[in-house]
Amino acid sequence: MSVSVTTPSPGAPNFYYASDTALGGIVSAVGLVSSTSPVPLWALEIDNTLNAVPVYVKLWATFAAGVVVGTSPPTMQFSAPASKKQTYSFAGRGPNLTAGLALTDFGWACVLEPGTSGLTAPTAPVAVRILFQQDPPP
Amino acid sequence: MSTVTSRAKDYGLADVSCNIDNVGVSPETFNIFMGPVTLHTLTARFEKSSGLDWACYLKVYDSLSPKVGFGLADPLWILQCRSGETFTMTFPDGYTFTNGISLRATRAGGSGTPGDLAPEGITKVTLLGRKS
């Protein structure tokens, strides 16, 4: 079981940071501060140093409660090689995580299988951190 | 239809860059660097030209081809590209593709055949890597 925590990034208005110390095969919700603005990603770190196989972090631009891991097609997917901490950094605004819908949260999970199918959680904990931006609510 | 418009190795440089003027869904852009490569940057931009779709999904494969038999391989990365916005991914230490880089752009995320249609617009991608 893991918990995603979203906090404002100190000194950087509209930037928010979410982390999960053991993201697994059950979708976890990342809370948003604005329900309508897009969520450009700025950085993502996947610490897979404890696992000897690659892992895949999947993001869903929909309410986390409606996501079925292994069935719902992920909006975005990133990987971390075996036994490695992988950092993704985006120069300028990164890809937007948005469905064009009003969302109060988005979902993420970490599994051993790429693509839509697969819901096998990593054997050892995978810590994941994400830095994203949201404009303040109107 | 995709076209690789330049390769730095053609000019004798160790680093390899490729500009792809339109990543397609079929035919896909496959084995761009002709084998293993360590990727340092990926820049992508989607320009909507018609229809209702406001984004495309760039799928990046560590494989010589996204196709396996009559099916599709699972992508390594899935990147949502919003129309009119450019983003760049950087890897200071590189991200090693042990087989090769292949790309596809589709209308839907996930993998497999659902939503596996060509985007309603042009997807431009620039890659900078170093041959392994």
Side-chain angles (χ1 to χ4, degrees), chain A residues 38 56 73-81 84 86-91 93-100 114-116, chain B residues 54 57 74-82 85-96 108-112 114:
Chain A
Y56 299 88
T75 308
M76 288 204 256
Q77 173 185 291
F78 299 89
S79 62
K84 187 175 180 182
Q86 182 66 51
T87 301
Y88 293 85
S89 59
F90 303 103
R93 289 165 66 107
N96 283 281
L97 184 68
T98 174
T116 301
Chain B
W54 44 267
Y57 296 82
D74 285 327
L76 186 72
W77 303 332
I78 301 169
L79 305 167
Q80 188 184 49
C81 305
R82 192 175 172 86
E85 296 181 4
T86 303
F87 70 84
T88 299
M89 296 170 64
T90 59
F91 302 97
D93 297 328
Y95 193 107
T96 301
S111 59

Side-chain angles (χ1 to χ4, degrees), chain B residues 11-39:
Chain B
Y11 304 96
L13 302 175
D15 289 328
V16 180
S17 70
C18 288
N19 297 313
I20 302 143
D21 63 2
N22 186 15
V23 176
V25 64
S26 182
E28 66 280 359
T29 307
F30 61 93
N31 196 13
I32 296 164
F33 290 96
M34 308 298 180
V37 66
T38 298
L39 184 69

